[in-house]
C-alpha cells in the first residue's frame, strides 16, 4: 500500500455529433471536456475509511474493522467482472444503504464501496484512507460526471494498492499511466458506472480515461487521432429533461414518418463522419477554413435535431444569442433543454466572449469557457493544481 497522498483528475464529456442517431446504429463522436473531477486520496492508520463529496453533501466514515469482518466473497477477487444484481443488493446491505437506493448520494456511496472492496480486498488488510472528490462538472447534465468520478476512484485505488504504478516522476507537474494501466482503470471504472447506471454504453468512462475524442457505433468504441483542443463555451440551460422520454419521442416519430426521419438520421451520420474527417485534418495542420466547416456542421446538426423533436425554446434562445455574436451552437446530449455547446474560433476577441457570456447568464443559463479534446485521467503534483481546486479539496 502506498504511503503518499495521491491527486488524480479526469475529464467530463460532451457529444459533439450523433446524439439520438447513435441509438439507431449511426456514428456518434464523443469528446473529453476540460471541466474536470479531482480526487485526493490520503492513506492513514486510524482504522477508518472516509468518503467526502462536497458537491453533493456527503461525508461518510466506515470502520475498517467492521468492513474487514464482512463476507465479501461475493466479490470475485482480482477479476474485473460485471457486478451482478445480487452483488449490488448484497453491497447495499454491507454499505448500510436502503434497498431502493436510487438517489445520487446513495449510488455514489455504493459505487465507492464496490470499487474499494473489490480492488483493495487483495491486500492483506483493507487500507485506512480518506478520499475527497470535488468536481467542476454539474451533475445530471449529461456531461459524464458519474464516469469521471468512477475513473478517478479506479485510478486512485489501483495506484494506492500498487496494482498499477504511480507514473508521476519527481518534479513533474502531472503524468498519465501507460496504455495497459489505462485499460485496467477503464475496466474498473466501467464497473463503477454499472453500479450507478445499470446498463451504461461505456462511452463516458472510456472518454474520461483516454481523453481526446472517440467514435462510438453499435457498441464499438475507437479513439480518433488526437484532435486539436478546441475552445468552446458550454451552456447549461438548467431546463430539466427526461432522456428516456426524448429517445422514445424520436423512435415514435421514426415509426410515424419513416420516409422523413430515416434520411435525417442518415444525414446526422454523414455530419459525424465529415466532422471526424475535418478533425483528422486539423490534427495535422489546423487552418481557419476548418473552423468554418465545423460551424456549418454544427448549424445543420442543430436543425436536424430540432426536426427530430428534441429541441427546446431554451436551446433556440441559446442559438439566437450566440448567432447575434456571429457564433454557432448546438445542443449536446439528449436535448429538450439540458446543455449546448458553442464553438469559439481562435480569432475571437475576449471582450466578445465576455459579452456573450453575460447575455447568456442574463437568460438564466450557466456558462463555462472551456475546451474539448482534453487529456484523460491524470495524476498531479499537489502544488501544480490551481489554488481554488486545492481549497475545494480541503473543504475551504
Amino acid at each position: 500500500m502506498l504511503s503518499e497522498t495521491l491527486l488524480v483528475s479526469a475529464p467530463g464529456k460532451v457529444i459533439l455529433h450523433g446524439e439520438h442517431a447513435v441509438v439507431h446504429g449511426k456514428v456518434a463522436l464523443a469528446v473529453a471536456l476540460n471541466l474536470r473531477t479531482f480526487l485526493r486520496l490520503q492513506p492513514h492508520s486510524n482504522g477508518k475509511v472516509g468518503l467526502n463529496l462536497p458537491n453533493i453533501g456527503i461525508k461518510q466514515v466506515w470502520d475498517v474493522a467492521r468492513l474487514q469482518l464482512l463476507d465479501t466473497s461475493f466479490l470475485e477477487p482480482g477479476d474485473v467482472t460485471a457486478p451482478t444484481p445480487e452483488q449490488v443488493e448484497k453491497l447495499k446491505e454491507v454499505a448500510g444503504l436502503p434497498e431502493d437506493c436510487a438517489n445520487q448520494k446513495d449510488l455514489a456511496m455504493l459505487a465507492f464501496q464496490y470499487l474499494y472492496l473489490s480492488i483493495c480486498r487483495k491486500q492483506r488488510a483493507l487500507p485506512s484512507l480518506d478520499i475527497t472528490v470535488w468536481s467542476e462538472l454539474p451533475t445530471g447534465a449529461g456531461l459524464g460526471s458519474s464516469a469521471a468520478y468512477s475513473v478517478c476512484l479506479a485510478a486512485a485505488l489501483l495506484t494506492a494498492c500498487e496494482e498499477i504504478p504511480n507514473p508521476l516522476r519527481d518534479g513533474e507537474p502531472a503524468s498519465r499511466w501507460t496504455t495497459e494501466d489505462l485499460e485496467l482503470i477503464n475496466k474498473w471504472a466501467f464497473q463503477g458506472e454499472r453500479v450507478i447506471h445499470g446498463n451504461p454504453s461505456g462511452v463516458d468512462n472510456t472518454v474520461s480515461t483516454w481523453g481526446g475524442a472517440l467514435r462510438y457505433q453499435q457498441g464499438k468504441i475507437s479513439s480518433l487521432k488526437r484532435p486539436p483542443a478546441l475552445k468552446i463555451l458550454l451552456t447549461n440551460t438548467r431546463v430539466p429533461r427526461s432522456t428516456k422520454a426524448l429517445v422514445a419521442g424520436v423512435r415514435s416519430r421514426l415509426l410515424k414518418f419513416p420516409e422523413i426521419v430515416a434520411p435525417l438520421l442518415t444525414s446526422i451520420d454523414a455530419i459525424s463522419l465529415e466532422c471526424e474527417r475535418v478533425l483528422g485534418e486539423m490534427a495535422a495542420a489546423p487552418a481557419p477554413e476548418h473552423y468554418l466547416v465545423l460551424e456549418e456542421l454544427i448549424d445543420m446538426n442543430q436543425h436536424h435535431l430540432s426536426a427530430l423533436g428534441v429541441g427546446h425554446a431554451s436551446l433556440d434562445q441559446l442559438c439566437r444569442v450566440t448567432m447575434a455574436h456571429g457564433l454557432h451552437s448546438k445542443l449536446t446530449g439528449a436535448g429538450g433543454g439540458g446543455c449546448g455547446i458553442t464553438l469559439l474560433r481562435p480569432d475571437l476577441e475576449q471582450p466578445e466572449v465576455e459579452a456573450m457570456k453575460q447575455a447568456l447568464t442574463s437568460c438564466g443559463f450557466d456558462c463555462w469557457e472551456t475546451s474539448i479534446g482534453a487529456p484523460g485521467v491524470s495524476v498531479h503534483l499537489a502544488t501544480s493544481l490551481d489554488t481554488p481546486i486545492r481549497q475545494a479539496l480541503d473543504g475551504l
Side-chain angles (χ1 to χ4, degrees):
M1 177 74 192
L2 287 190
S3 56
E4 73 253 27
T5 296
L6 282 172
L7 281 166
V8 173
S9 80
K13 76 99 191 21
V14 290
I15 301 291
L16 196 51
H17 291 291
E19 45 272 275
H20 289 287
V22 72
V23 176
H24 302 277
K26 309 299 186 194
V27 168
L29 299 182
V31 288
L33 175 71
N34 210 19
L35 291 178
R36 301 181 78 86
T37 293
F38 295 86
L39 177 151
R40 183 181 60 203
L41 183 152
Q42 289 174 301
H44 47 65
S45 51
N46 66 355
K48 308 271 187 221
V49 175
L51 179 66
N52 183 18
L53 309 177
N55 298 79
I56 55 174
I58 285 180
K59 212 173 178 122
Q60 189 76 29
V61 179
W62 292 273
D63 236 331
V64 171
R66 202 181 79 76
L67 294 175
Q68 197 77 54
L69 292 173
L70 297 168
D71 175 13
T72 54
S73 57
F74 67 93
L75 298 167
E76 289 303 310
D79 291 334
V80 191
T81 49
T84 63
E86 296 75 40
Q87 282 180 328
V88 173
E89 287 314 306
K90 185 95 170 109
L91 201 58
K92 287 176 187 170
E93 213 178 292
V94 163
L97 294 170
E99 264 181 56
D100 61 342
C101 81
N103 71 38
Q104 199 182 32
K105 291 184 176 186
D106 289 345
L107 291 170
M109 286 195 281
L110 198 60
F112 168 73
Q113 282 281 8
Y114 174 77
L115 291 171
Y116 170 75
L117 292 170
S118 302
I119 293 170
C120 301
R121 67 193 292 264
K122 280 166 66 179
Q123 302 286 303
R124 201 175 62 245
L126 287 174
S128 300
L129 44 87
D130 260 329
I131 283 183
T132 300
V133 185
W134 175 80
S135 188
E136 297 173 324
L137 290 159
T139 54
L143 300 173
S145 61
S146 70
Y149 170 68
S150 292
V151 168
C152 281
L153 281 176
L157 290 167
L158 287 165
T159 306
C161 292
E162 300 183 84
E163 293 284 318
I164 57 176
N166 182 348
L168 197 63
R169 297 286 157 263
D170 281 352
E172 282 183 333
S175 187
R176 305 204 56 226
W177 286 267
T178 62
T179 300
E180 199 181 336
D181 294 341
L182 287 170
E183 277 166 6
L184 186 63
I185 291 170
N186 194 35
K187 277 181 186 162
W188 277 114
F190 186 44
Q191 304 315 340
E193 276 281 85
R194 277 177 149 157
V195 170
I196 295 170
H197 292 297
N199 188 25
S201 68
V203 169
D204 290 13
N205 51 278
T206 305
V207 173
S208 193
T209 300
W210 296 96
L214 298 177
R215 164 203 179 113
Y216 178 80
Q217 187 175 25
Q218 292 178 324
K220 284 206 279 291
I221 301 173
S222 55
S223 272
L224 302 193
K225 263 195 315 217
R226 174 67 61 179
L230 298 172
K231 283 175 68 178
I232 62 154
L233 193 68
L234 174 75
T235 302
N236 186 356
T237 64
R238 299 168 70 172
V239 173
R241 74 274 180 267
S242 158
T243 301
K244 214 177 193 168
L246 289 155
V247 168
V250 173
R251 192 175 294 284
S252 70
R253 196 169 270 201
L254 176 61
L255 292 171
K256 190 176 175 186
F257 305 112
E259 303 283 307
I260 299 168
V261 177
L264 282 175
L265 296 172
T266 304
S267 179
I268 290 174
D269 192 49
I271 288 171
S272 297
L273 295 173
E274 178 62 11
C275 181
E276 186 181 347
R277 188 191 67 75
V278 173
L279 290 177
E281 280 186 9
M282 291 177 85
E289 48 271 25
H290 287 136
Y291 285 90
L292 299 177
V293 177
L294 291 179
E295 289 178 333
E296 276 191 86
L297 296 176
I298 284 171
D299 289 345
M300 288 190 284
N301 200 352
Q302 178 58 22
H303 287 302
H304 282 5
L305 288 162
S306 292
L308 290 178
V310 297
H312 188 268
S314 61
L315 293 162
D316 295 340
Q317 192 176 12
L318 162 67
C319 292
R320 270 200 311 277
V321 170
T322 56
M323 189 53 85
H325 292 265
L327 295 171
H328 304 253
S329 307
K330 68 176 280 291
L331 67 86
T332 179
C339 291
I341 51 174
T342 308
L343 184 64
L344 301 178
R345 293 186 307 271
D347 62 345
L348 211 58
E349 300 290 337
Q350 196 56 34
E352 190 69 37
V353 179
E354 291 307 322
M356 187 171 61
K357 277 161 71 175
Q358 220 162 354
L360 290 167
T361 307
S362 65
C363 298
F365 303 157
D366 290 333
C367 292
W368 296 267
E369 201 178 330
T370 181
S371 62
I372 52 179
V377 65
S378 308
V379 59
H380 302 268
L381 187 69
T383 50
S384 71
L385 293 180
D386 291 344
T387 307
I389 296 165
R390 293 213 301 270
Q391 287 177 335
L393 289 168
D394 288 337
L396 299 174

